[in-house]
Amino acid sequence: ILDVPPGTLKDTDTRDSVEDWSSLMDVKILAMIASETGVQPDQALQDYTSVGELLDLLEGRGALAR
């Protein structure tokens, strides 16, 4: 979705540090999460600020193991 090479995103990456990461990309990310994991985007998922925060939220909901 973000068009970056696999394995290059860091937990500290944010919308400001990844080129072309826009609010449209957020919508696409949340839609993919819902379709792939069944986790529906709530306010906490919509308010994430970094890759690591998003992954922590998903892990806490049992959507992935880190």
Side-chain angles (χ1 to χ4, degrees):
I1 292 173
L2 293 174
D3 198 30
V4 297
T8 59
L9 286 175
K10 300 179 287 291
D11 284 350
T12 56
D13 279 328
T14 66
R15 292 168 189 89
D16 295 327
S17 66
V18 178
E19 189 174 339
D20 298 327
W21 189 346
S22 66
S23 57
L24 177 59
M25 295 302 114
D26 284 327
V27 171
K28 289 181 178 184
I29 290 167
L30 293 174
M32 187 222 38
I33 288 169
S35 103
E36 296 291 322
T37 69
V39 172
Q40 294 305 309
D42 60 10
Q43 195 62 45
L45 282 177
Q46 293 175 25
D47 291 342
Y48 74 93
T49 58
S50 69
V51 170
E53 184 181 348
L54 177 60
L55 293 175
D56 288 344
L57 287 166
L58 292 172
E59 184 178 24
R61 296 167 190 213
L64 55 93
R66 279 181 55 185

